[in-house]
Amino acid sequence: MADLISSAMTLLLGAQRIAVFSGAGLSADSGLATFRDADNGRWNQVDVATQFAFKTNRNAVWTHYEHRRREALR
């Protein structure tokens, strides 16, 4: 296992860019609003996660994800 972790660390340290895909619970644990929360989930506020939304209101989609990106950087 240590060899696997060491190999992964070497790859990550040498990477120019890294993308992380995570499960649904990561944003809540990080203090970010979730998409699925029944009371104030993002799905209830605005459609920003469909192809239709991107085609019809691209600026709103980019603005939404830029805001989430900035929240995550805090």
Side-chain angles (χ1 to χ4, degrees):
M1 182 65 134
D3 289 341
L4 182 60
I5 293 172
S6 178
S7 295
M9 193 166 90
T10 299
L11 287 170
L12 290 171
L13 289 172
Q16 290 182 4
R17 294 188 175 117
I18 299 169
V20 177
F21 298 94
S22 67
L26 186 64
S27 58
D29 290 344
S30 301
L32 299 174
T34 67
F35 278 97
R36 296 184 180 140
D37 184 64
D39 296 324
N40 64 353
R42 298 287 181 167
W43 290 122
N44 299 331
Q45 297 172 12
V46 62
D47 176 14
V48 293
T50 65
Q51 187 176 12
F52 179 78
F54 191 75
K55 284 183 178 180
T56 59
N57 199 351
R58 187 170 295 187
N59 188 53
V61 173
W62 282 120
T63 300
H64 170 79
Y65 284 105
E66 175 61 16
H67 174 72
R68 283 187 62 82
R69 186 186 74 80
R70 289 177 188 262
E71 285 180 336
L73 290 174
R74 284 192 261 155

CSV table of all heavy atoms in Angstrom, one decimal, residues 59-73:
chain,number,residue,atom,x,y,z
A,59,ASN,N,-24.6,32.2,-19.3
A,59,ASN,CA,-24.0,33.1,-18.3
A,59,ASN,C,-24.4,32.8,-16.9
A,59,ASN,O,-23.5,32.8,-16.0
A,59,ASN,CB,-24.4,34.6,-18.6
A,59,ASN,CG,-23.6,35.6,-17.8
A,59,ASN,OD1,-22.4,35.5,-17.7
A,59,ASN,ND2,-24.3,36.4,-17.1
A,60,ALA,N,-25.6,32.4,-16.7
A,60,ALA,CA,-26.0,32.1,-15.3
A,60,ALA,C,-25.3,30.8,-14.8
A,60,ALA,O,-25.0,30.7,-13.6
A,60,ALA,CB,-27.6,31.8,-15.3
A,61,VAL,N,-25.1,29.8,-15.7
A,61,VAL,CA,-24.4,28.6,-15.3
A,61,VAL,C,-23.0,28.9,-14.9
A,61,VAL,O,-22.5,28.5,-13.9
A,61,VAL,CB,-24.5,27.6,-16.4
A,61,VAL,CG1,-23.6,26.4,-16.1
A,61,VAL,CG2,-25.9,27.1,-16.7
A,62,TRP,N,-22.3,29.7,-15.8
A,62,TRP,CA,-20.9,30.0,-15.5
A,62,TRP,C,-20.8,30.9,-14.2
A,62,TRP,O,-19.9,30.7,-13.4
A,62,TRP,CB,-20.2,30.8,-16.6
A,62,TRP,CG,-19.8,29.9,-17.8
A,62,TRP,CD1,-20.3,30.0,-19.1
A,62,TRP,CD2,-18.9,28.9,-17.8
A,62,TRP,NE1,-19.7,29.1,-19.9
A,62,TRP,CE2,-18.8,28.4,-19.1
A,62,TRP,CE3,-18.1,28.3,-16.8
A,62,TRP,CZ2,-18.0,27.3,-19.4
A,62,TRP,CZ3,-17.3,27.2,-17.1
A,62,TRP,CH2,-17.2,26.7,-18.4
A,63,THR,N,-21.7,31.8,-14.0
A,63,THR,CA,-21.7,32.6,-12.8
A,63,THR,C,-21.9,31.8,-11.6
A,63,THR,O,-21.2,31.9,-10.6
A,63,THR,CB,-22.8,33.7,-12.9
A,63,THR,OG1,-22.5,34.5,-14.0
A,63,THR,CG2,-22.9,34.5,-11.6
A,64,HIS,N,-22.8,30.8,-11.6
A,64,HIS,CA,-23.1,29.9,-10.5
A,64,HIS,C,-21.9,29.1,-10.1
A,64,HIS,O,-21.5,29.1,-9.0
A,64,HIS,CB,-24.2,29.0,-10.9
A,64,HIS,CG,-24.4,27.9,-9.9
A,64,HIS,ND1,-25.1,28.1,-8.7
A,64,HIS,CD2,-24.0,26.6,-9.9
A,64,HIS,CE1,-25.1,27.0,-8.0
A,64,HIS,NE2,-24.4,26.1,-8.7
A,65,TYR,N,-21.2,28.5,-11.1
A,65,TYR,CA,-20.1,27.7,-10.8
A,65,TYR,C,-18.8,28.5,-10.4
A,65,TYR,O,-18.0,28.0,-9.6
A,65,TYR,CB,-19.8,26.7,-12.0
A,65,TYR,CG,-20.8,25.6,-11.9
A,65,TYR,CD1,-21.8,25.5,-12.9
A,65,TYR,CD2,-20.7,24.6,-11.0
A,65,TYR,CE1,-22.7,24.5,-12.8
A,65,TYR,CE2,-21.7,23.6,-10.9
A,65,TYR,CZ,-22.7,23.5,-11.8
A,65,TYR,OH,-23.6,22.5,-11.8
A,66,GLU,N,-18.7,29.7,-10.9
A,66,GLU,CA,-17.6,30.6,-10.5
A,66,GLU,C,-17.8,30.9,-9.0
A,66,GLU,O,-16.9,31.0,-8.2
A,66,GLU,CB,-17.6,31.8,-11.3
A,66,GLU,CG,-16.5,32.8,-10.9
A,66,GLU,CD,-15.1,32.3,-10.9
A,66,GLU,OE1,-14.8,31.3,-11.6
A,66,GLU,OE2,-14.2,33.0,-10.3
A,67,HIS,N,-19.1,31.2,-8.6
A,67,HIS,CA,-19.4,31.5,-7.2
A,67,HIS,C,-19.0,30.3,-6.3
A,67,HIS,O,-18.4,30.4,-5.3
A,67,HIS,CB,-20.8,31.8,-7.1
A,67,HIS,CG,-21.3,32.0,-5.7
A,67,HIS,ND1,-20.9,33.1,-4.9
A,67,HIS,CD2,-22.0,31.3,-4.9
A,67,HIS,CE1,-21.4,33.0,-3.7
A,67,HIS,NE2,-22.1,31.9,-3.6
A,68,ARG,N,-19.4,29.1,-6.8
A,68,ARG,CA,-19.1,27.9,-6.0
A,68,ARG,C,-17.5,27.6,-5.9
A,68,ARG,O,-17.0,27.2,-4.9
A,68,ARG,CB,-19.7,26.6,-6.6
A,68,ARG,CG,-21.2,26.6,-6.3
A,68,ARG,CD,-21.9,25.3,-6.7
A,68,ARG,NE,-21.4,24.1,-6.1
A,68,ARG,CZ,-21.8,23.7,-4.9
A,68,ARG,NH1,-22.6,24.4,-4.1
A,68,ARG,NH2,-21.4,22.5,-4.4
A,69,ARG,N,-16.9,27.9,-7.0
A,69,ARG,CA,-15.4,27.8,-7.0
A,69,ARG,C,-14.8,28.7,-6.0
A,69,ARG,O,-13.9,28.3,-5.2
A,69,ARG,CB,-14.8,28.1,-8.4
A,69,ARG,CG,-13.3,27.8,-8.6
A,69,ARG,CD,-12.8,28.3,-9.9
A,69,ARG,NE,-12.8,29.7,-10.0
A,69,ARG,CZ,-11.8,30.5,-9.5
A,69,ARG,NH1,-10.8,29.9,-8.9
A,69,ARG,NH2,-11.8,31.8,-9.6
A,70,ARG,N,-15.2,30.0,-6.0
A,70,ARG,CA,-14.7,30.9,-5.0
A,70,ARG,C,-15.1,30.5,-3.6
A,70,ARG,O,-14.2,30.7,-2.7
A,70,ARG,CB,-15.3,32.3,-5.3
A,70,ARG,CG,-14.6,32.9,-6.6
A,70,ARG,CD,-15.3,34.3,-6.9
A,70,ARG,NE,-14.8,34.8,-8.1
A,70,ARG,CZ,-13.8,35.6,-8.3
A,70,ARG,NH1,-13.2,36.1,-7.3
A,70,ARG,NH2,-13.5,36.0,-9.5
A,71,GLU,N,-16.3,30.0,-3.3
A,71,GLU,CA,-16.6,29.5,-2.0
A,71,GLU,C,-15.7,28.4,-1.6
A,71,GLU,O,-15.2,28.3,-0.4
A,71,GLU,CB,-18.0,28.9,-2.0
A,71,GLU,CG,-19.1,30.0,-2.0
A,71,GLU,CD,-20.5,29.3,-2.0
A,71,GLU,OE1,-20.7,28.1,-2.4
A,71,GLU,OE2,-21.4,30.0,-1.5
A,72,ALA,N,-15.3,27.5,-2.5
A,72,ALA,CA,-14.5,26.4,-2.2
A,72,ALA,C,-13.0,26.8,-1.9
A,72,ALA,O,-12.3,26.2,-1.1
A,72,ALA,CB,-14.5,25.4,-3.3
A,73,LEU,N,-12.6,27.9,-2.4
A,73,LEU,CA,-11.2,28.4,-2.2
A,73,LEU,C,-11.1,29.0,-0.8
A,73,LEU,O,-10.0,29.2,-0.4
A,73,LEU,CB,-10.9,29.4,-3.3
A,73,LEU,CG,-10.6,28.9,-4.7
A,73,LEU,CD1,-10.4,30.0,-5.7
A,73,LEU,CD2,-9.5,27.9,-4.7
